[in-house]
Amino acid sequence: LRTRDRQRKLISTLDAALRRIEEGDYGPCEATGEPISLKRLDARPIATLSLEAQERHERREKVHRDD
């Protein structure tokens, strides 16, 4: 069940990325509006945050999780 749930979430994320491509909104960071590097998009085509924004997000998540 966990594997199927992960696959369903991945399919949803891929669909969202394809929608952004179709709408011409693929590539900018959702947090900053700056372009996501091509290197990051090559490595993770479904990325919605730049590397820096993703790192900030993960640090914030970790702090809240440790509370």
Side-chain angles (χ1 to χ4, degrees):
L1 289 176
R2 194 175 317 156
T3 300
R4 189 173 63 201
D5 193 41
R6 283 170 131 175
Q7 288 174 341
R8 189 176 304 127
K9 184 176 179 182
L10 179 58
I11 290 170
S12 173
T13 305
L14 289 170
D15 286 342
L18 290 172
R19 241 186 336 275
R20 288 193 313 274
I21 290 170
E22 290 172 357
E23 295 168 358
D25 196 27
Y26 180 78
C29 174
E30 289 183 350
T32 66
E34 296 293 317
I36 299 172
S37 72
L38 291 177
K39 188 175 178 180
R40 175 153 169 79
L41 289 173
D42 279 342
R44 187 155 178 85
I46 59 175
T48 58
L49 298 172
S50 66
L51 185 59
E52 296 81 15
Q54 182 67 38
E55 288 172 343
R56 280 192 305 271
H57 174 74
E58 289 175 4
R59 278 194 301 271
R60 257 186 268 122
E61 242 182 20
K62 185 179 186 309
V63 168
H64 291 298
R65 205 173 334 140
D66 290 345
D67 289 345

